[in-house]
C-alpha cells in the first residue's frame, strides 16, 4: 500500500518563531513515532522554508512544500518567488491552483498551467488544487466544472508529467467552513477525476494518479476521508496549525 500523503497547509499563519517551534515539534514527533503508512509534507509561508528545510534534512518521512511560485524562473517580478529558487532549498512540492489564490489573486486556469510547467521544469512536484463553489454543486454541475479546470491546466502535459503531480479535490465551500462533502461525494469525485484522466490519457495512468481530498479535515473526520478507495491523502489547513490536533490527525491514520 502506498503511504497516505498528508499535507499541512499553514496558509498565512505563524511568525518565524512560532513556525519554527511547530515544525520542530512535528519533526520530533514523527521521529519518535513509526508511521510507515503516512508521508507528511509541511507547506509553511515562504519565510519559514529555509529554516525548516534544515530541520528536515535528517527526516525520512517529512517533506517540504511551498504554497505558491511564479511561472518565470527570474525577472522583474517584485514580491514573487520562482520555482527555481524553491528547488535551491530542498522544497519538494508546490501548491498550485488553490482556491484562495484563484479567488483573492484572480489566478485562472491558464496562469496555473504556466506555473505547473515551471514547477515541473525545476524538478519539483505540483499539487494541483481543483474544486467547485457551492452554487455549482447545487446545480449538479460539479463534474463538468472540475473537468474544465483539469482540461485547461493539465491536458497540455505529457503522461510522464501527469505522473509527477498530485490532484487535490478541494470543494471551495468546504475550505475553512467546517462543512464537508459526504464520503460518497468524495469517492464519486475521485472516480470522476480518474475517468477524466483515463479518457484523456489512459486507464493505467488514471489508476496510478495521486488524488487527494482537502476541506475542513480534522482529527475526527480524517480517517473517513483517507479510507475512501482512491483517496491517496489529504490537504489540511486550519487543523494543521495546532500541534496537538495535528498529532491527533497523524495518530488516527497510523493504522499499524
Ligand atoms: P481547511 O483548508 O482544512 O482549513 O479547510 C484546507 C485547504 O485550504 O487546503
Amino acid at each position: 500500500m502506498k503511504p497516505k500523503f498528508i499535507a499541512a497547509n499553514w496558509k498565512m499563519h505563524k511568525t518565524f518563531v512560532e513556525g519554527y517551534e511547530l515544525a520542530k515539534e512535528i519533526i520530533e514527533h514523527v521521529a519518535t513515532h513509526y508511521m510507515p503508512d503516512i508521508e507528511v509534507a509541511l507547506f509553511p509561508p515562504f519565510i519559514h522554508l529555509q529554516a525548516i528545510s534544515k530541520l528536515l534534512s535528517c527526516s525520512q518521512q517529512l517533506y517540504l512544500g511551498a504554497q505558491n511560485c511564479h511561472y518565470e524562473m527570474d525577472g522583474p517580478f517584485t514580491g514573487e518567488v520562482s520555482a527555481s529558487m524553491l528547488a535551491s532549498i530542498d522544497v519538494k512540492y508546490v501548491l498550485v491552483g488553490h482556491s484562495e489564490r484563484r479567488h483573492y489573486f484572480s489566478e485562472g486556469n491558464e496562469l496555473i498551467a504556466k506555473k505547473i510547467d515551471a514547477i515541473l521544469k525545476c524538478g519539483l512536484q505540483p499539487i494541483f488544487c481543483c474544486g467547485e463553489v457551492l452554487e455549482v454543486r447545487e446545480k449538479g454541475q460539479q463534474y463538468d466544472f472540475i473537468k474544465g479546470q483539469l482540461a485547461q491546466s493539465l491536458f497540455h502535459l505529457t503522461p510522464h508529467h501527469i505522473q509527477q503531480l498530485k490532484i487535490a479535490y478541494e470543494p471551495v465551500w468546504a475550505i475553512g467552513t467546517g462543512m464537508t462533502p459526504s464520503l460518497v461525494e468524495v469517492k464519486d469525485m475521485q472516480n470522476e477525476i480518474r475517468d477524466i484522466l483515463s479518457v484523456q490519457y489512459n486507464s493505467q495512468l488514471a489508476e496510478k494518479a495521486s488524488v487527494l481530498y482537502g476541506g475542513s479535515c480534522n482529527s475526527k473526520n480524517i480517517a473517513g476521508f483517507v479510507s475512501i478507495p482512491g483517496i491517496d491523502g489529504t490537504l489540511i489547513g486550519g487543523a494543521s496549525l495546532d500541534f496537538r490536533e495535528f498529532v491527533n490527525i497523524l495518530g488516527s491514520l497510523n493504522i499499524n
Side-chain angles (χ1 to χ4, degrees):
M1 196 182 76
K2 60 178 169 180
K4 299 287 182 184
F5 181 77
I6 306 301
N9 175 12
W10 292 0
K11 309 193 179 186
M12 197 175 73
H13 293 285
K14 305 289 179 192
T15 63
F16 183 78
V17 171
E18 290 165 353
Y20 194 79
E21 286 306 313
L22 177 58
K24 227 164 67 178
E25 284 183 305
I26 294 169
I27 290 163
E28 276 162 21
H29 178 85
V30 170
T32 50
H33 294 74
Y34 181 56
M35 293 190 261
D37 305 317
I38 309 174
E39 177 186 330
V40 182
L42 303 181
F43 291 77
F46 288 128
I47 63 143
H48 297 288
L49 287 172
Q50 200 188 5
I52 297 180
S53 94
K54 286 193 179 139
L55 284 176
L56 288 183
S57 57
C58 50
S59 171
Q60 300 288 316
Q61 241 183 335
L62 273 161
Y63 297 92
L64 193 57
Q67 297 176 18
N68 183 31
C69 71
H70 197 274
Y71 60 83
E72 292 289 356
M73 294 300 150
D74 51 49
F77 302 103
T78 302
E80 292 290 315
V81 170
S82 71
S84 54
M85 292 171 184
L86 297 173
S88 72
I89 54 161
D90 292 333
V91 164
K92 182 173 181 190
Y93 298 105
V94 185
L95 288 181
V96 61
H98 191 283
S99 70
E100 287 152 13
R101 302 255 6 135
R102 291 177 189 263
H103 179 71
Y104 295 115
F105 303 96
S106 306
E107 294 193 2
N109 293 323
E110 279 171 32
L111 176 79
I112 291 164
K114 282 159 78 173
K115 290 188 179 201
I116 290 173
D117 291 344
I119 295 164
L120 289 167
K121 197 169 166 194
C122 294
L124 305 178
Q125 295 185 30
I127 301 195
F128 171 73
C129 305
C130 56
E132 79 287 354
V133 295
L134 193 55
E135 203 188 343
V136 169
R137 180 161 281 268
E138 281 171 349
K139 286 189 193 146
Q141 294 169 346
Q142 65 273 20
Y143 298 137
D144 284 344
F145 187 85
I146 298 297
K147 188 174 177 188
Q149 288 188 325
L150 263 62
Q152 289 179 47
S153 295
L154 300 186
F155 281 5
H156 67 290
L157 297 173
T158 62
H160 171 72
H161 278 148
I162 289 283
Q163 281 163 6
Q164 328 265 300
L165 55 81
K166 298 181 191 296
I167 298 175
Y169 170 56
E170 298 206 291
V172 179
W173 50 274
I175 294 179
T177 59
M179 290 198 301
T180 57
S182 70
L183 301 187
V184 172
E185 285 168 335
V186 175
K187 178 169 154 280
D188 289 348
M189 184 56 87
Q190 73 73 34
N191 271 336
E192 183 66 23
I193 290 171
R194 289 179 198 280
D195 283 351
I196 293 166
L197 293 176
S198 180
V199 171
Q200 181 65 21
Y201 293 94
N202 59 66
S203 57
Q204 227 190 351
L205 180 146
E207 207 181 302
K208 280 204 192 138
S210 190
V211 181
L212 315 174
Y213 167 75
S216 292
C217 287
N218 57 43
S219 59
K220 306 257 172 347
N221 62 21
I222 190 115
F225 290 120
V226 299
S227 71
I228 299 170
I231 287 294
D232 299 305
T234 60
L235 247 73
I236 304 165
S240 71
L241 295 171
D242 176 70
F243 174 65
R244 273 287 128 222
E245 173 64 359
F246 193 58
V247 157
N248 288 340
I249 287 174
L250 298 183
S252 68
L253 296 176
N254 200 16
I255 16 208
N256 278 345

